[in-house]
Structures are given as structure tokens and as C-alpha cells.
Amino acid sequence: MEIKLNKIESDAYYNEVLAIVSNYKKLVKNPRQKIKGVNRQAITLTVIALAFLVVFSFLYLQNRSNTLYLIVVAIFAIAFVLGIIYNVLIRKRISKLKNKSSDRKLVIEDDYVELTVGNEKSRLEMSEIQYVLINKYSISFIPNKANSTLIAIGISYRDDVLNNFARKELIVDNSSLYQ
């Protein structure tokens, strides 16, 4: 069965797919978990670094003779700057993925799933698929090997995937976690 993918996905979709890729090992162990986007993770860590930066800067200003506070302030200043850089890089990556305009299609057969984007093909044999995760914005075919390609499509194709994917026991529907 061939599914023509013609919809340009949202930033939230790409954010979720990047989070799935970055949390691959956790998802293989426990697929029934809510995925938080990498943007949210980056912002949370940056805010935590900023809070500690402010606290330890205040402590250093109270006791300038203690160089340990100065070292900790420098560490959290670096963590804060790295958090901002990481957030900018995530946004650039999402923008790059979102603006990739080419023909896309998903092929679901009895023995494989294949995603074609322009001239690039990603293929997972049915024996390589550990789970099919249905999340808030995406449907992801999670491979059982870390070096395999992860295939993801938008949630708007949910019915097409459910109707054409024969191995229903591999489907993990996490969409109820987001309500």
C-alpha cells in the first residue's frame, strides 16, 4: 500500500520526531511514555542553568574571597550559553527539515516499510521494527537496532497506517497520554 505524503508538517511534529530520535534508548525499553519536544527540554535546562547562575552569582558577590563560587558561576554561565546555542541549533534544524520540499511517500508492505523523500529512501524490514509509536503529532516506526533508520510521518496519516499495517501487536498508541 502506498500513501502519498503531501502535507507539510508543523514545527511541533519535527520537534517531537527529534525528541523521539534523541530518546531512542528509553523508548526501546519503555515505549509507553509521553514524549516532550527537544525544544522544551533545551529551554528547561537553560532556565535551570540561569537560575543557578543567578544564585551563585549572588553568593559570590556576598563572599568574593571564596573562589569556589566563582568557579561554579563560570560553569553555570557556560551551561547557560550552551543551552542558548543548543536551542538555536534545534530551531535551525527544524526549519531546515520543514523547508525541504520534495515528493514524499510511505509504502507499507507485508515484509517492509519504506519512506521515500525525493531521491532518498529509508527502508525498515518488518523484522527490524520493534514498535510503531503513535504520539501527539507523529507516527514513528522504531527500529530494534540503534543504527537503523527511524521512519516517521505526521499523525494525519494515522488511519492509513492503522488500516494497512498488518502487525497490530507492534502498535503502541500513546495519543491518550497527551489529552
Side-chain angles (χ1 to χ4, degrees), residues 46-62 72-73 76-77 80:
T46 304
V47 168
I48 290 170
L50 178 62
F52 278 110
L53 176 63
V54 169
V55 167
F56 282 100
S57 293
F58 181 73
L59 291 174
Y60 175 70
L61 292 174
Q62 295 292 322
V72 173
V73 165
F76 282 112
F80 177 69

Side-chain angles (χ1 to χ4, degrees), residues 54-148:
V54 169
V55 167
F56 282 100
S57 293
F58 181 73
L59 291 174
Y60 175 70
L61 292 174
Q62 295 292 322
N63 186 4
R64 291 179 194 237
S65 62
N66 193 342
T67 57
L68 179 63
Y69 287 143
L70 182 61
I71 293 169
V72 173
V73 165
I75 290 170
F76 282 112
I78 291 169
F80 177 69
V81 169
L82 289 175
I84 291 173
I85 291 169
Y86 182 56
N87 202 353
V88 168
L89 291 174
I90 289 169
R91 290 179 192 275
K92 284 178 96 173
R93 179 73 173 156
I94 289 172
S95 177
K96 183 179 176 183
L97 289 170
K98 189 175 179 181
N99 293 328
K100 195 175 193 178
S101 62
S102 56
D103 292 333
R104 298 178 299 146
K105 67 178 177 180
L106 179 73
V107 177
I108 300 175
E109 294 294 337
D110 291 338
D111 52 343
Y112 69 90
V113 174
E114 184 176 79
L115 178 66
T116 305
V117 179
N119 294 331
E120 298 176 25
K121 288 186 179 186
S122 301
R123 183 178 175 134
L124 280 174
E125 299 297 325
M126 207 53 75
S127 62
E128 295 176 319
I129 298 174
Q130 181 146 354
Y131 303 111
V132 178
L133 289 181
I134 300 174
N135 287 314
K136 187 172 185 177
Y137 301 106
S138 67
I139 300 170
S140 304
F141 296 86
I142 307 293
N144 53 19
K145 296 178 187 172
N147 58 353
S148 296

Side-chain angles (χ1 to χ4, degrees), residues 5 21 25 34 42 52 55 60-62 74 79 86 98-99 115 138 152 154-157 164-165 171-172:
L5 307 175
V21 171
K25 288 184 180 180
K34 191 173 183 177
F52 278 110
V55 167
Y60 175 70
L61 292 174
Q62 295 292 322
Y86 182 56
K98 189 175 179 181
N99 293 328
L115 178 66
S138 67
I155 195 68
S156 59
Y157 302 101
N164 295 298
F165 194 76
I171 296 174
V172 178

